[in-house]
Structures are given as C-alpha cells and as structure tokens.
Amino acid sequence: MCALGLAWVRVPSAPLGYRDFKVCPRLGSVTGILRCALGSARSPKSKVVERSRDHNHRTSTIFSFKKFILLQPLLNQSIMLRTHTCGELNMAHVSQNVILTGWVQRSRDLGGMTFVDLRDRYGLTQLVFNMETHAALCVQARKLGREYVILVSGKVSERSNKNAKMPTGDIEITVEKLDILNESKTPPFTIEDNTDGGDELRMKYRYLDLRRNVVKRNMELRHRLAFQTRNYMDSLNFIEVETPVLIKSTPEGARDYVVPSRVNPGEFYALPQSPQTFKQLLMVAGFDRYFQIVKCFRDEDLRADRQPEFTQIDCEMSFVEQEDIFDTFEGLTKHLFKTVKGIDVVKLPRMTWADAMKYYGSDKPDIRFGMEFIELNDLVKGKDFKVFDDAELVVGINAEGCAEYTRKQLDELTDFVKKPQIGAGGLIYLRYAADGTLKSSVDKFYTPEHLGNWAKAFDAKPGDLLLILAGKANKTRKALNELRLEMGNRLGLRNPETFSPLWVYDFPLLEWDEDSKRFYAMHHPFTSPKPEDIPLLDTDPGAVRANAYDMVINGVEVGGGSIRIHDKTMQHKMLQLLGFSEEDAQAQFGFLMNAFEFGAPPHGGIAFGFDRLCSLFGGSESIRDYIAFPKNNAARDVMIDSPARISDDQLKELSLKVSI
Ligand code: ASP
C-alpha cells in the first residue's frame, strides 16, 4: 500500500469508463504506479472515481498508456484494451457498447456492408461495417487483410441472419470505430481447422499454426491435464520439487544428450533421461511424497509418439508397497478422466506381464476389445502338417463375424502378417460358415472333426473366422498382436473415445540381449526384485520377476514405475548382474549407494508420459500435436532452425573440435 504522497493517474478499467487512482509519485516507475494503483483498487478505503464514459476517448487514451499495456500480467481483466473477448457475446449483450480486439479471420464485402470475422483465443465474432452510416470506416475495413490485428468499438446488435453453429452466431457488432493495431503479411497457410499448410510449413510458422483452433484446443487440453494433476497431487500432500537439468551421463537406457562444460574442459554434463536418481535421493532426504511435471531428454530414433525432449509426470513415495502406488495413481487417473473428460473410470483391471504376453502378445494390451489368443499346440501337432509340427507355438484369434471375408481380404491379411516388420511366415484360417460348415486353408491335413475341436477351443460360432499363426513363440505372439490390432481397427473396435486403462505388473527384472550376451534391466537398475524371487538371482536371473508395473490405456503405455531397491548390498548386486565392474558401479552410481547408507526409506514410484497422456485424451496418436513447439522426425526445430553449428570461438572456449 502506498502512503507517501498523492498524484492522479488514469487507468482504463470497467467497460467504457476510467478509474483514477491515487498514486505515489516517489515510486517513479510505471510499475510502481500500477502496483500502487492495484493496491488502492483492492483497498476498501481507496478513492475510486468514475471519470468518463466516453469509450472513444478511452480508446485513444489507451495508446498514451502503452507502457501500461506491457505490464498486463500485473493487472486484472478489467483494465485491458478490450471489454469482452470474441467468444462471449450473445443476445444478453444486445445494445451494449463493447470494445473487441483480435485478428481478422476473413472479410466479405457485400456492397453496402462489409463483414469481418474477428478472432481471438476465445472465438469468433462477426463485425459489420455499414457504408451508409459510416462510409469512411467501411472503406477502411475493406482494406483489412487476413491476420491484421485490430481494435474495434461498437454496439452489439441482433443478427438478422443467425448462425447456429457459432456460439456468438446470434449477434454481430455494428462497428463505430476501428484501429489497426498491427498489419500482417498474408500467412503462408490458411488459419483454419482444415488448413492448406503441410507439416513442414506449419512447423516453420508454428506460431501461426498455434492460432488454429484445433491446435489451440490441444494446448488447452494439455494445460487442463497439468493443472488437474497438480491439484490432485497437492491434495494428497505431494510436493513439487525441481531437479537439475545438467546432470551426468549414465550408460543404461537410451542415448544421452550431452552438454560440454566450459569451466571443466573435456568434461560433459548429460541432460536427464528422467529424474530417477534425484527423486530417490529426495526420498532419502525425507520428502516422502514428491512429484514434478518435468522435461526429460532421450536421444532415440523418433516416431509419432516420441520426441527428443518430452514431459513426464514424475512421482515417488516413501513407506509404500506396490498396492499403495496402484491406489494413489489409479486415483490420479480417475481424477483426470473425471475432471478433464467428464468420464467415470471404474477400478482398473490388473494383468500380470506373463498373462499379457500369453493372451495379447504384448505388454501393453489394448483391452477395448477381446479377441484373446488361444494356443493350439495340443490340438494341431502330429497330423503331418510340417508348419505346425515344427512350430514352437501355434496360436490364433477369433475374428467374430468375419467368416464371409473374401479371398482378396484374406490375401490382404496374409500380406499384412508377412510384412518384414511383422515377420510371420504365413497365415492359416478356418472359416466357420453361417451354415455350420468348417473350411480351412489346411483341410487336407485335418478332418472336419479336428477342425471342429479347433472351433470349440476358440468358443467360435457360425459366422466366425479363426486366424492362426505358427513359429517361434515370442516372434509369433508379437506378429499375432499386430494382426489382432489390425482386426480391431478393421472391425471398428478401437474407438478413440472409449478408454480402457489397466495395470500390467510382475514384469521380468532382467532382459537377455543376444547380441551383447548380457542382461539389461527391463525397467531400470534401481527396480527391486520380488522378495520371493531373490534366491533366483544367483541361479536363474532371467526368471526373476520385478516389483514393476505399467499403466496401459488403449494399447499405449502411459506410465511405468517400480518399488525401488533401497539397500546398498542389493543395489550393488543388481549392478553386478548388469555387468558393471566394481569401479564403474562406484563411478556411475556411487552417490546413490552412499546415500543408501544414511537411512534410506523403502520407496517406489511411477512416471507418466505426459505428452502421450495428452494425445490419448485428445484422441490422437501423435504427441507432436500436443507440444507447443515440437521437433520433426530428424530431431530438428525447423522454426528456430536448430540444431545449428556454433562459432569457432565458442568451440575454442569449450575446448571442442568438430571432425566433420
Ligand atoms: N524414471 C522411470 C522412467 O522414466 C519411471 C519410474 O521408474 O518412476 O521410466
């Protein structure tokens, strides 16, 4: 509150009026004046005097207060340039004088009248310029180009030709004053929902792309998800703590992005692939419940659902077991679905990793539809059909109601499974025709009775089509998973507006890599084995299950985590199993093992891929649509043209030489 002296300053305030505030001249700066003004405005004792109701006068005065406008964050809505947004006016406002600001979406010249659609973040409002009553204004309006930034004042009028599709479609503004705040070059693509701009062009001018409704709505969805996440986490006493971005390269996981250190020549920071070790250290520090909406960096080959920098909702809790993590984050999932999509999610089903692989051939099953795998080894072997006899696994799915598929459709499916990225040798089918007859592509090896047994195993009905693959177990499951998803798409069973979340748990602790002949941590090296499997660490490490879990929604892994190792000896043993020498283990993770010697509590956590969650909630497969400034497939930001070379001076300063 300002108590030193008085002066008057005009601040635009309520629609079409002014408020004069007592201000302190000794504060000198505009910021000081405004702070003081706001303080006064809030005080019941302040003298607030309505001075003028002349909005034209107001409009021109605004420009002499340009500096004030730059300080908008300090101010509330009532003292901005406009009285309303372009999305809010309706019949209730008819006859009111208003001031609107925004971008020219399009204009139409109909002789005596010029119509302009004015757009801002909140919507579109139709402006009318009347040649008869305001000829000069109308001439001015005819010169407005697309994306010009304008300020208009005028009266809200009822439209004679209402547009039921627009929220503001009942009214228009009869313009009485027009100010061009800024001109615009013609944009390189149309700022419409269905734009004519290609991907690359839209990314180069992303700030224009972001003006499009569809992209803007994605950003709003992202904001709501982040906001509701913070609400929920805060309500459960989680504290958001920032962890460093310049950290240390670790050999596990994906490739690191690295940053050279000028003050430590020849040494590099790495950008975090996740804040994993830091959140564990926060547990050692006693922070008990941590979360962070945080950027992570992984130098991987890119796809539609990957970006070099992406965002996680990263969480960790102390004194918990797996069940507590399930409860807490099932709660977060329900909260987000409820508050952001208005959907009630009931209890999440749970599936062991082993079952997910057996029945869906994937650790991220899409359970919006059934079509579970049925294994046929016992029914098909020993009948001289070499493909089945030699196969480690014969397994199939029932495509219900598809018995009428044509030869061409079956050939398409065969071509699909034989694609190199899917890798099956061929596809065997059994039609269960509507008349009850069974017809398969391997009739000559199997009697109708045999085929009847297959149909029984699938619980098939007349009209169904069984699709069967055979070969090495893992490869065949993987291929059948792809075929199942393809059939799900063809049969319209994967509606993006239906959400089927579940927990997949009991993942293997380790994964054997044939090329390097060593184990890798399936989740990460800090994941604890299931206590009952600990003895297997010495005898059969590959069979050890982890206290690790993923949350999967509609076939997308949206989150994953584990109960951690919090014991130095166990952590050390794990690193040994992963092939770390004593020295390397110390150099890489000594800080964590040391911390475990100072009273580390039992702890566990999870991280959600925030961009993926956004795209899933938005019904899209591409996370790029939900990131304000994403990178392209070549990891480039084409708008700022990055990555880019640095100068020789910079290289020298960093003690770096480039050899290409
Ligand atoms: N840090 C892990 C990850 O990024 C998640 C976790 O274990 O909490 O996948």
Side-chain angles (χ1 to χ4, degrees), residues 567-604:
D567 167 79
K568 182 183 170 174
T569 318
M570 177 57 80
Q571 187 61 69
H572 191 249
K573 187 177 181 106
M574 181 72 184
L575 292 174
Q576 260 180 344
L577 270 172
L578 295 174
F580 280 76
S581 69
E582 197 65 39
E583 250 179 11
D584 285 349
Q586 251 323 303
Q588 293 296 335
F589 301 115
F591 64 94
L592 187 68
M593 288 186 288
N594 289 345
F596 285 174
E597 292 188 289
F598 291 94
H603 60 284

mmCIF file of all heavy atoms in Angstrom, residues 567-604:
data_model
loop_
_atom_site.group_PDB
_atom_site.id
_atom_site.type_symbol
_atom_site.label_atom_id
_atom_site.label_comp_id
_atom_site.label_asym_id
_atom_site.label_seq_id
_atom_site.Cartn_x
_atom_site.Cartn_y
_atom_site.Cartn_z
ATOM 1 N N ASP A 567 18.488 -50.774 -0.549
ATOM 2 C CA ASP A 567 19.531 -51.385 0.255
ATOM 3 C C ASP A 567 20.813 -51.424 -0.579
ATOM 4 O O ASP A 567 20.796 -51.845 -1.743
ATOM 5 C CB ASP A 567 19.047 -52.799 0.609
ATOM 6 C CG ASP A 567 20.143 -53.645 1.175
ATOM 7 O OD1 ASP A 567 20.439 -53.481 2.353
ATOM 8 O OD2 ASP A 567 20.718 -54.467 0.420
ATOM 9 N N LYS A 568 21.892 -50.955 0.023
ATOM 10 C CA LYS A 568 23.135 -50.810 -0.731
ATOM 11 C C LYS A 568 23.624 -52.150 -1.304
ATOM 12 O O LYS A 568 24.037 -52.236 -2.461
ATOM 13 C CB LYS A 568 24.210 -50.214 0.185
ATOM 14 C CG LYS A 568 25.490 -49.994 -0.547
ATOM 15 C CD LYS A 568 26.594 -49.469 0.309
ATOM 16 C CE LYS A 568 27.877 -49.534 -0.536
ATOM 17 N NZ LYS A 568 28.997 -48.952 0.086
ATOM 18 N N THR A 569 23.540 -53.202 -0.494
ATOM 19 C CA THR A 569 24.064 -54.500 -0.942
ATOM 20 C C THR A 569 23.276 -55.016 -2.137
ATOM 21 O O THR A 569 23.849 -55.500 -3.115
ATOM 22 C CB THR A 569 23.980 -55.523 0.223
ATOM 23 O OG1 THR A 569 24.390 -54.844 1.405
ATOM 24 C CG2 THR A 569 24.833 -56.724 -0.022
ATOM 25 N N MET A 570 21.951 -54.867 -2.062
ATOM 26 C CA MET A 570 21.118 -55.337 -3.172
ATOM 27 C C MET A 570 21.375 -54.504 -4.427
ATOM 28 O O MET A 570 21.447 -55.030 -5.537
ATOM 29 C CB MET A 570 19.630 -55.280 -2.768
ATOM 30 C CG MET A 570 18.682 -55.664 -3.868
ATOM 31 S SD MET A 570 18.963 -57.316 -4.551
ATOM 32 C CE MET A 570 18.167 -58.311 -3.317
ATOM 33 N N GLN A 571 21.536 -53.194 -4.250
ATOM 34 C CA GLN A 571 21.799 -52.326 -5.414
ATOM 35 C C GLN A 571 23.121 -52.721 -6.070
ATOM 36 O O GLN A 571 23.248 -52.775 -7.293
ATOM 37 C CB GLN A 571 21.821 -50.857 -4.977
ATOM 38 C CG GLN A 571 21.912 -49.870 -6.130
ATOM 39 C CD GLN A 571 20.735 -49.954 -7.083
ATOM 40 O OE1 GLN A 571 19.622 -49.605 -6.750
ATOM 41 N NE2 GLN A 571 20.965 -50.479 -8.290
ATOM 42 N N HIS A 572 24.085 -53.028 -5.228
ATOM 43 C CA HIS A 572 25.395 -53.414 -5.700
ATOM 44 C C HIS A 572 25.305 -54.716 -6.497
ATOM 45 O O HIS A 572 25.853 -54.847 -7.590
ATOM 46 C CB HIS A 572 26.291 -53.581 -4.458
ATOM 47 C CG HIS A 572 27.722 -53.726 -4.806
ATOM 48 N ND1 HIS A 572 28.392 -54.908 -4.636
ATOM 49 C CD2 HIS A 572 28.600 -52.856 -5.352
ATOM 50 C CE1 HIS A 572 29.637 -54.753 -5.061
ATOM 51 N NE2 HIS A 572 29.783 -53.515 -5.499
ATOM 52 N N LYS A 573 24.536 -55.669 -5.962
ATOM 53 C CA LYS A 573 24.372 -56.971 -6.617
ATOM 54 C C LYS A 573 23.692 -56.793 -7.987
ATOM 55 O O LYS A 573 24.063 -57.421 -8.983
ATOM 56 C CB LYS A 573 23.509 -57.864 -5.720
ATOM 57 C CG LYS A 573 23.408 -59.284 -6.206
ATOM 58 C CD LYS A 573 22.610 -60.113 -5.216
ATOM 59 C CE LYS A 573 22.534 -61.539 -5.693
ATOM 60 N NZ LYS A 573 23.373 -62.441 -4.953
ATOM 61 N N MET A 574 22.708 -55.922 -8.014
ATOM 62 C CA MET A 574 21.983 -55.664 -9.259
ATOM 63 C C MET A 574 22.948 -55.105 -10.312
ATOM 64 O O MET A 574 22.933 -55.535 -11.472
ATOM 65 C CB MET A 574 20.865 -54.657 -8.953
ATOM 66 C CG MET A 574 20.023 -54.317 -10.112
ATOM 67 S SD MET A 574 18.954 -55.692 -10.565
ATOM 68 C CE MET A 574 18.193 -54.995 -12.006
ATOM 69 N N LEU A 575 23.786 -54.171 -9.896
ATOM 70 C CA LEU A 575 24.722 -53.579 -10.859
ATOM 71 C C LEU A 575 25.711 -54.633 -11.357
ATOM 72 O O LEU A 575 26.082 -54.656 -12.532
ATOM 73 C CB LEU A 575 25.442 -52.381 -10.234
ATOM 74 C CG LEU A 575 24.534 -51.163 -9.960
ATOM 75 C CD1 LEU A 575 25.276 -50.072 -9.196
ATOM 76 C CD2 LEU A 575 23.957 -50.580 -11.254
ATOM 77 N N GLN A 576 26.088 -55.542 -10.461
ATOM 78 C CA GLN A 576 26.978 -56.649 -10.857
ATOM 79 C C GLN A 576 26.321 -57.506 -11.935
ATOM 80 O O GLN A 576 26.934 -57.836 -12.949
ATOM 81 C CB GLN A 576 27.243 -57.534 -9.643
ATOM 82 C CG GLN A 576 28.564 -57.273 -8.980
ATOM 83 C CD GLN A 576 28.737 -58.208 -7.786
ATOM 84 O OE1 GLN A 576 27.777 -58.822 -7.296
ATOM 85 N NE2 GLN A 576 29.963 -58.308 -7.314
ATOM 86 N N LEU A 577 25.040 -57.848 -11.688
ATOM 87 C CA LEU A 577 24.300 -58.671 -12.656
ATOM 88 C C LEU A 577 24.226 -57.986 -14.018
ATOM 89 O O LEU A 577 24.168 -58.637 -15.060
ATOM 90 C CB LEU A 577 22.864 -58.895 -12.169
ATOM 91 C CG LEU A 577 22.597 -60.109 -11.308
ATOM 92 C CD1 LEU A 577 21.182 -60.062 -10.756
ATOM 93 C CD2 LEU A 577 22.779 -61.385 -12.137
ATOM 94 N N LEU A 578 24.206 -56.668 -13.981
ATOM 95 C CA LEU A 578 24.111 -55.912 -15.228
ATOM 96 C C LEU A 578 25.486 -55.715 -15.870
ATOM 97 O O LEU A 578 25.615 -55.007 -16.867
ATOM 98 C CB LEU A 578 23.455 -54.545 -14.975
ATOM 99 C CG LEU A 578 22.004 -54.614 -14.511
ATOM 100 C CD1 LEU A 578 21.491 -53.229 -14.138
ATOM 101 C CD2 LEU A 578 21.115 -55.210 -15.604
ATOM 102 N N GLY A 579 26.494 -56.334 -15.257
ATOM 103 C CA GLY A 579 27.820 -56.330 -15.862
ATOM 104 C C GLY A 579 28.684 -55.134 -15.508
ATOM 105 O O GLY A 579 29.690 -54.886 -16.169
ATOM 106 N N PHE A 580 28.304 -54.374 -14.481
ATOM 107 C CA PHE A 580 29.143 -53.240 -14.062
ATOM 108 C C PHE A 580 30.350 -53.747 -13.289
ATOM 109 O O PHE A 580 30.200 -54.593 -12.395
ATOM 110 C CB PHE A 580 28.363 -52.306 -13.135
ATOM 111 C CG PHE A 580 27.445 -51.360 -13.838
ATOM 112 C CD1 PHE A 580 26.239 -51.807 -14.351
ATOM 113 C CD2 PHE A 580 27.793 -50.018 -13.988
ATOM 114 C CE1 PHE A 580 25.389 -50.940 -14.998
ATOM 115 C CE2 PHE A 580 26.942 -49.145 -14.642
ATOM 116 C CZ PHE A 580 25.745 -49.603 -15.150
ATOM 117 N N SER A 581 31.524 -53.231 -13.607
ATOM 118 C CA SER A 581 32.687 -53.550 -12.783
ATOM 119 C C SER A 581 32.527 -52.782 -11.469
ATOM 120 O O SER A 581 31.750 -51.815 -11.400
ATOM 121 C CB SER A 581 33.965 -53.118 -13.491
ATOM 122 O OG SER A 581 34.001 -51.706 -13.527
ATOM 123 N N GLU A 582 33.292 -53.192 -10.479
ATOM 124 C CA GLU A 582 33.257 -52.501 -9.180
ATOM 125 C C GLU A 582 33.472 -50.997 -9.371
ATOM 126 O O GLU A 582 32.748 -50.158 -8.836
ATOM 127 C CB GLU A 582 34.376 -53.083 -8.318
ATOM 128 C CG GLU A 582 34.251 -52.811 -6.842
ATOM 129 C CD GLU A 582 33.019 -53.505 -6.245
ATOM 130 O OE1 GLU A 582 32.708 -54.654 -6.635
ATOM 131 O OE2 GLU A 582 32.370 -52.841 -5.438
ATOM 132 N N GLU A 583 34.489 -50.697 -10.195
ATOM 133 C CA GLU A 583 34.875 -49.292 -10.423
ATOM 134 C C GLU A 583 33.758 -48.502 -11.102
ATOM 135 O O GLU A 583 33.416 -47.396 -10.685
ATOM 136 C CB GLU A 583 36.086 -49.268 -11.358
ATOM 137 C CG GLU A 583 37.336 -48.849 -10.693
ATOM 138 C CD GLU A 583 38.488 -48.874 -11.675
ATOM 139 O OE1 GLU A 583 38.271 -49.020 -12.894
ATOM 140 O OE2 GLU A 583 39.620 -48.753 -11.186
ATOM 141 N N ASP A 584 33.209 -49.119 -12.176
ATOM 142 C CA ASP A 584 32.147 -48.429 -12.918
ATOM 143 C C ASP A 584 30.920 -48.194 -12.041
ATOM 144 O O ASP A 584 30.295 -47.133 -12.092
ATOM 145 C CB ASP A 584 31.724 -49.229 -14.160
ATOM 146 C CG ASP A 584 32.754 -49.111 -15.258
ATOM 147 O OD1 ASP A 584 33.650 -48.269 -15.115
ATOM 148 O OD2 ASP A 584 32.664 -49.880 -16.235
ATOM 149 N N ALA A 585 30.585 -49.217 -11.240
ATOM 150 C CA ALA A 585 29.415 -49.080 -10.367
ATOM 151 C C ALA A 585 29.614 -47.897 -9.433
ATOM 152 O O ALA A 585 28.718 -47.069 -9.247
ATOM 153 C CB ALA A 585 29.198 -50.364 -9.574
ATOM 154 N N GLN A 586 30.818 -47.780 -8.886
ATOM 155 C CA GLN A 586 31.115 -46.663 -7.972
ATOM 156 C C GLN A 586 31.045 -45.327 -8.706
ATOM 157 O O GLN A 586 30.408 -44.379 -8.250
ATOM 158 C CB GLN A 586 32.522 -46.823 -7.387
ATOM 159 C CG GLN A 586 32.627 -47.207 -5.909
ATOM 160 C CD GLN A 586 31.567 -46.585 -5.000
ATOM 161 O OE1 GLN A 586 31.426 -45.369 -4.924
ATOM 162 N NE2 GLN A 586 30.802 -47.430 -4.312
ATOM 163 N N ALA A 587 31.705 -45.308 -9.894
ATOM 164 C CA ALA A 587 31.788 -44.049 -10.634
ATOM 165 C C ALA A 587 30.392 -43.585 -11.066
ATOM 166 O O ALA A 587 30.081 -42.402 -11.011
ATOM 167 C CB ALA A 587 32.691 -44.217 -11.848
ATOM 168 N N GLN A 588 29.567 -44.524 -11.496
ATOM 169 C CA GLN A 588 28.257 -44.124 -12.020
ATOM 170 C C GLN A 588 27.231 -43.868 -10.919
ATOM 171 O O GLN A 588 26.477 -42.910 -10.980
ATOM 172 C CB GLN A 588 27.692 -45.222 -12.946
ATOM 173 C CG GLN A 588 28.462 -45.413 -14.226
ATOM 174 C CD GLN A 588 28.412 -44.169 -15.107
ATOM 175 O OE1 GLN A 588 27.482 -43.379 -15.017
ATOM 176 N NE2 GLN A 588 29.432 -43.986 -15.909
ATOM 177 N N PHE A 589 27.183 -44.803 -9.975
ATOM 178 C CA PHE A 589 26.074 -44.752 -9.013
ATOM 179 C C PHE A 589 26.538 -44.727 -7.560
ATOM 180 O O PHE A 589 25.749 -44.998 -6.660
ATOM 181 C CB PHE A 589 25.133 -45.944 -9.242
ATOM 182 C CG PHE A 589 24.553 -45.964 -10.631
ATOM 183 C CD1 PHE A 589 24.858 -46.986 -11.517
ATOM 184 C CD2 PHE A 589 23.722 -44.942 -11.056
ATOM 185 C CE1 PHE A 589 24.328 -46.995 -12.806
ATOM 186 C CE2 PHE A 589 23.189 -44.941 -12.340
ATOM 187 C CZ PHE A 589 23.501 -45.971 -13.212
ATOM 188 N N GLY A 590 27.832 -44.394 -7.361
ATOM 189 C CA GLY A 590 28.363 -44.343 -6.000
ATOM 190 C C GLY A 590 27.524 -43.420 -5.120
ATOM 191 O O GLY A 590 27.222 -43.728 -3.966
ATOM 192 N N PHE A 591 27.096 -42.269 -5.683
ATOM 193 C CA PHE A 591 26.341 -41.278 -4.887
ATOM 194 C C PHE A 591 25.054 -41.887 -4.335
ATOM 195 O O PHE A 591 24.648 -41.611 -3.205
ATOM 196 C CB PHE A 591 26.035 -40.030 -5.719
ATOM 197 C CG PHE A 591 25.138 -40.282 -6.910
ATOM 198 C CD1 PHE A 591 23.770 -40.111 -6.807
ATOM 199 C CD2 PHE A 591 25.659 -40.694 -8.119
ATOM 200 C CE1 PHE A 591 22.937 -40.350 -7.889
ATOM 201 C CE2 PHE A 591 24.831 -40.934 -9.211
ATOM 202 C CZ PHE A 591 23.476 -40.778 -9.105
ATOM 203 N N LEU A 592 24.422 -42.772 -5.135
ATOM 204 C CA LEU A 592 23.153 -43.346 -4.690
ATOM 205 C C LEU A 592 23.414 -44.407 -3.613
ATOM 206 O O LEU A 592 22.747 -44.437 -2.577
ATOM 207 C CB LEU A 592 22.427 -43.975 -5.890
ATOM 208 C CG LEU A 592 21.019 -44.460 -5.615
ATOM 209 C CD1 LEU A 592 20.078 -43.282 -5.354
ATOM 210 C CD2 LEU A 592 20.484 -45.271 -6.799
ATOM 211 N N MET A 593 24.439 -45.237 -3.878
ATOM 212 C CA MET A 593 24.724 -46.285 -2.885
ATOM 213 C C MET A 593 25.212 -45.676 -1.571
ATOM 214 O O MET A 593 24.891 -46.175 -0.502
ATOM 215 C CB MET A 593 25.699 -47.307 -3.475
ATOM 216 C CG MET A 593 24.994 -48.164 -4.531
ATOM 217 S SD MET A 593 25.975 -49.507 -5.167
ATOM 218 C CE MET A 593 27.146 -48.650 -6.172
ATOM 219 N N ASN A 594 25.967 -44.583 -1.683
ATOM 220 C CA ASN A 594 26.376 -43.887 -0.448
ATOM 221 C C ASN A 594 25.145 -43.391 0.298
ATOM 222 O O ASN A 594 25.037 -43.527 1.516
ATOM 223 C CB ASN A 594 27.264 -42.676 -0.758
ATOM 224 C CG ASN A 594 28.621 -43.110 -1.246
ATOM 225 O OD1 ASN A 594 28.991 -44.291 -1.084
ATOM 226 N ND2 ASN A 594 29.349 -42.206 -1.863
ATOM 227 N N ALA A 595 24.208 -42.806 -0.448
ATOM 228 C CA ALA A 595 23.002 -42.258 0.193
ATOM 229 C C ALA A 595 22.230 -43.368 0.900
ATOM 230 O O ALA A 595 21.638 -43.147 1.964
ATOM 231 C CB ALA A 595 22.118 -41.585 -0.847
ATOM 232 N N PHE A 596 22.265 -44.565 0.322
ATOM 233 C CA PHE A 596 21.541 -45.689 0.937
ATOM 234 C C PHE A 596 22.126 -46.074 2.297
ATOM 235 O O PHE A 596 21.525 -46.824 3.047
ATOM 236 C CB PHE A 596 21.553 -46.908 0.006
ATOM 237 C CG PHE A 596 20.596 -46.773 -1.175
ATOM 238 C CD1 PHE A 596 20.574 -47.732 -2.182
ATOM 239 C CD2 PHE A 596 19.719 -45.710 -1.267
ATOM 240 C CE1 PHE A 596 19.697 -47.615 -3.257
ATOM 241 C CE2 PHE A 596 18.844 -45.586 -2.344
ATOM 242 C CZ PHE A 596 18.840 -46.536 -3.336
ATOM 243 N N GLU A 597 23.336 -45.543 2.582
ATOM 244 C CA GLU A 597 23.946 -45.858 3.884
ATOM 245 C C GLU A 597 23.481 -44.894 4.973
ATOM 246 O O GLU A 597 23.908 -44.989 6.105
ATOM 247 C CB GLU A 597 25.468 -45.813 3.752
ATOM 248 C CG GLU A 597 25.977 -46.944 2.885
ATOM 249 C CD GLU A 597 27.488 -47.046 2.899
ATOM 250 O OE1 GLU A 597 28.135 -46.160 2.309
ATOM 251 O OE2 GLU A 597 27.999 -47.989 3.508
ATOM 252 N N PHE A 598 22.659 -43.916 4.576
ATOM 253 C CA PHE A 598 22.215 -42.925 5.561
ATOM 254 C C PHE A 598 20.708 -42.999 5.808
ATOM 255 O O PHE A 598 20.006 -41.996 5.752
ATOM 256 C CB PHE A 598 22.593 -41.514 5.089
ATOM 257 C CG PHE A 598 24.070 -41.254 5.104
ATOM 258 C CD1 PHE A 598 24.828 -41.452 3.959
ATOM 259 C CD2 PHE A 598 24.714 -40.839 6.264
ATOM 260 C CE1 PHE A 598 26.192 -41.218 3.965
ATOM 261 C CE2 PHE A 598 26.074 -40.611 6.279
ATOM 262 C CZ PHE A 598 26.822 -40.805 5.127
ATOM 263 N N GLY A 599 20.219 -44.192 6.016
ATOM 264 C CA GLY A 599 18.814 -44.312 6.378
ATOM 265 C C GLY A 599 17.866 -44.094 5.219
ATOM 266 O O GLY A 599 17.026 -43.186 5.265
ATOM 267 N N ALA A 600 18.010 -44.893 4.149
ATOM 268 C CA ALA A 600 17.081 -44.763 3.005
ATOM 269 C C ALA A 600 15.775 -45.478 3.327
ATOM 270 O O ALA A 600 15.785 -46.647 3.709
ATOM 271 C CB ALA A 600 17.714 -45.372 1.764
ATOM 272 N N PRO A 601 14.640 -44.795 3.193
ATOM 273 C CA PRO A 601 13.362 -45.458 3.489
ATOM 274 C C PRO A 601 12.957 -46.360 2.315
ATOM 275 O O PRO A 601 13.387 -46.126 1.180
ATOM 276 C CB PRO A 601 12.384 -44.277 3.584
ATOM 277 C CG PRO A 601 12.962 -43.252 2.656
ATOM 278 C CD PRO A 601 14.454 -43.416 2.721
ATOM 279 N N PRO A 602 12.109 -47.362 2.564
ATOM 280 C CA PRO A 602 11.553 -48.091 1.416
ATOM 281 C C PRO A 602 10.747 -47.121 0.567
ATOM 282 O O PRO A 602 10.042 -46.275 1.109
ATOM 283 C CB PRO A 602 10.638 -49.147 2.049
ATOM 284 C CG PRO A 602 10.626 -48.898 3.505
ATOM 285 C CD PRO A 602 11.588 -47.814 3.850
ATOM 286 N N HIS A 603 10.897 -47.217 -0.736
ATOM 287 C CA HIS A 603 10.201 -46.249 -1.583
ATOM 288 C C HIS A 603 9.926 -46.817 -2.961
ATOM 289 O O HIS A 603 10.495 -47.827 -3.359
ATOM 290 C CB HIS A 603 10.990 -44.936 -1.680
ATOM 291 C CG HIS A 603 12.375 -45.086 -2.251
ATOM 292 N ND1 HIS A 603 13.439 -45.594 -1.538
ATOM 293 C CD2 HIS A 603 12.866 -44.799 -3.471
ATOM 294 C CE1 HIS A 603 14.528 -45.596 -2.292
ATOM 295 N NE2 HIS A 603 14.205 -45.127 -3.477
ATOM 296 N N GLY A 604 9.041 -46.153 -3.666
ATOM 297 C CA GLY A 604 8.698 -46.580 -5.022
ATOM 298 C C GLY A 604 7.986 -45.456 -5.725
ATOM 299 O O GLY A 604 7.591 -44.461 -5.107
#
